[in-house]
Amino acid sequence: TKVKSANVKIPEILFGYFAGPFGALLASGIFTSFLNKYWTEVLFAGQLDGAVNTFLTLLPLLSAVLIAAGNLTAGQIIERTKTKAGKARPWILLSSVLLALTCVFMFLAPFDDKTLKMVFTAVSYNLFYAVAYPLYNTANSTLIPVSTRNSKQRGLLASATNVAGLAVMGTGSMVFPVLL
């Protein structure tokens, strides 16, 4: 880290606790409002039948088990990490790459075969929601209490992260659909 002060500065708050979480959470917010529509109207257009409809219904429900396990595992991994950069920063760096890749995978359709599309969709969905997103979110949440000993500044960091989350909800659920 290049931070030399015990106090958290405005650029660190803006980039590390607002812009960073905003960007990472935006993908999740957009996916929440758009992914099902993409699956039915683009990815599986012309292939919707009982099997695909059942798959699209069960995928998020069954993936919840993997997502819960992913969150618990991410917490344990981050807690046991000990590096010069801290326990959270290496995972934020890794998860930023994973988030970018899995965002692309979520909208790829490399196969024409319906079954292969369903398998690829399930794998990419779970890589995003059960691996990449929990790693980022858990690591980012861990940063707030260890960033400073000043309780007022910790409160400011938590507020910046929460504002980013609220801004994403508005952007992902209201602004993005209007742009489409």
Side-chain angles (χ1 to χ4, degrees), residues 55-123:
F55 166 76
L56 293 177
T57 300
L58 292 178
L59 176 62
L61 296 173
L62 297 177
S63 294
V65 174
L66 291 174
I67 293 166
N71 278 287
L72 294 171
T73 303
Q76 291 300 312
I77 289 171
I78 292 165
E79 186 60 33
R80 293 177 183 166
T81 299
K82 295 185 184 349
T83 67
K84 288 182 180 181
K87 59 180 162 182
R89 285 186 185 102
W91 295 107
I92 289 177
L93 181 61
L94 174 65
S95 66
S96 66
V97 174
L98 289 174
L99 282 169
L101 288 173
T102 56
C103 283
V104 171
F105 290 161
M106 293 276 272
F107 293 97
L108 278 181
F111 306 106
D112 289 329
D113 180 64
K114 177 175 59 174
T115 304
L116 290 175
K117 271 189 199 177
M118 288 191 288
V119 169
F120 190 81
T121 300
V123 169

Side-chain angles (χ1 to χ4, degrees), residues 106-163:
M106 293 276 272
F107 293 97
L108 278 181
F111 306 106
D112 289 329
D113 180 64
K114 177 175 59 174
T115 304
L116 290 175
K117 271 189 199 177
M118 288 191 288
V119 169
F120 190 81
T121 300
V123 169
S124 61
Y125 180 87
N126 284 298
L127 281 175
F128 179 84
Y129 281 107
V131 178
Y133 188 74
L135 272 176
Y136 173 79
N137 198 39
T138 305
N140 184 63
S141 298
T142 302
L143 278 180
I144 294 170
V146 298
S147 292
T148 180
R149 290 186 177 149
N150 184 327
S151 62
K152 287 183 182 179
Q153 287 183 342
R154 277 197 310 267
L156 181 62
L157 298 177
S159 295
T161 301
N162 289 336
V163 167

Side-chain angles (χ1 to χ4, degrees), residues 30-48:
I30 290 171
F31 291 168
T32 300
S33 64
F34 180 68
L35 199 53
N36 199 30
K37 186 174 183 167
Y38 168 76
W39 285 338
T40 57
E41 295 179 10
V42 178
L43 187 61
F44 291 103
Q47 294 179 320
L48 288 176

